Amino acid sequence: MTIKRFLIATVVVLSVPSAFAQTNDLRSPGYFNSISDSKKKSVALFEEMTKVITSPRCMNCHPVDDNPRQGNDMHLHVPPMVRWNESDFGPPGLHCSSCHSIKDIKFSGTPGTIPGHDPWRLAPKTMGWIGLSHGEICAQLKDPKRNGGRTLEDIIVHHATDKLVGTAWHSTDKSRPNAPGNQEIFAALTKAWVETGAVCPD
């Protein structure tokens, strides 16, 4: 290959939008069928799930503190916002729904949107993920005392049907890429993880 052709090929590869990889790079459960050890397979399935769980679309609303994040760089919410006690809906007079409507709202005069869903809220503090390892997130996800009292079967249903979870893949804003894959693949991975013993990474 000539230098010229090499440079052209490099430019083409580097010009592929990162959002493309984010929205398509999630492997379905069948990809892991070659792993014969059920524990290793279960861990591999959960690690695939973390591509979604640790994406900004999910992490921004799963802080371990009281402050939601925004954007792909997960900066603190602007304007400043807090969960307010255990309500997770924001302070009196300025609930999350004050700005987050039932659907995405386009900014006026500038690019961008405010993502929407009814209700819009933070995940409970016991479900905070920012700063946790994959193993710690996994243990928390399985613990009914910290996951909202859910069984493993409840988690499958939650991942498959919850519409607020689904907003991770329904962004209408090109500057806010969706989580990898889609909700159906994420739910299928969750189901396969549970069926293989819901084993957590070390």
Side-chain angles (χ1 to χ4, degrees), residues 157-172:
V157 174
H158 178 63
H159 287 179
T161 64
D162 189 278
K163 292 183 179 179
L164 185 54
V165 171
T167 61
W169 295 278
H170 299 155
S171 173
T172 59

Side-chain angles (χ1 to χ4, degrees), residues 37-74:
D37 185 295
S38 62
K39 290 184 178 180
K40 291 181 179 179
K41 182 177 181 179
S42 195
V43 169
L45 287 161
F46 187 81
E47 289 289 3
E48 193 69 12
M49 289 166 59
T50 63
K51 290 182 178 180
V52 173
I53 291 170
T54 62
S55 73
R57 299 291 72 75
C58 295
M59 295 290 268
N60 283 342
C61 289
H62 279 264
V64 295
D65 55 21
D66 294 325
N67 306 109
R69 269 56 168 187
Q70 285 180 325
N72 300 323
D73 60 355
M74 297 174 57

Side-chain angles (χ1 to χ4, degrees), residues 90-202:
L94 191 60
H95 286 169
C96 301
S97 58
S98 299
C99 295
H100 295 274
S101 184
I102 60 175
K103 61 182 180 180
D104 290 7
I105 299 175
K106 291 183 178 181
F107 292 153
S108 178
T110 185
T113 63
I114 301 173
H117 177 270
D118 184 27
W120 192 269
R121 62 178 298 180
L122 282 180
K125 203 168 185 177
T126 58
M127 299 183 199
W129 295 340
I130 295 177
L132 272 61
S133 68
H134 292 182
E136 289 170 329
I137 293 173
C138 181
Q140 178 231 67
L141 196 64
K142 292 169 54 175
D143 185 356
K145 293 180 180 179
R146 294 184 287 165
N147 71 9
R150 294 182 175 91
T151 65
L152 292 174
E153 289 70 26
D154 292 335
I155 293 171
I156 297 171
V157 174
H158 178 63
H159 287 179
T161 64
D162 189 278
K163 292 183 179 179
L164 185 54
V165 171
T167 61
W169 295 278
H170 299 155
S171 173
T172 59
D173 188 341
K174 292 182 179 179
S175 69
R176 189 174 62 248
N178 289 319
N182 57 51
Q183 190 167 12
E184 290 75 21
I185 297 175
F186 182 57
L189 286 166
T190 305
K191 185 174 185 291
W193 169 65
V194 170
E195 290 175 345
T196 52
V199 182
C200 290
D202 293 332

Side-chain angles (χ1 to χ4, degrees), residues 1-12:
M1 178 183 287
T2 66
I3 294 294
K4 182 177 180 180
R5 287 182 179 178
F6 173 79
L7 291 174
I8 291 172
T10 302
V11 169
V12 170

Side-chain angles (χ1 to χ4, degrees), residues 25-42:
D25 186 22
L26 189 67
R27 297 173 292 192
S28 62
Y31 179 88
F32 303 91
N33 286 344
S34 61
I35 304 176
S36 57
D37 185 295
S38 62
K39 290 184 178 180
K40 291 181 179 179
K41 182 177 181 179
S42 195

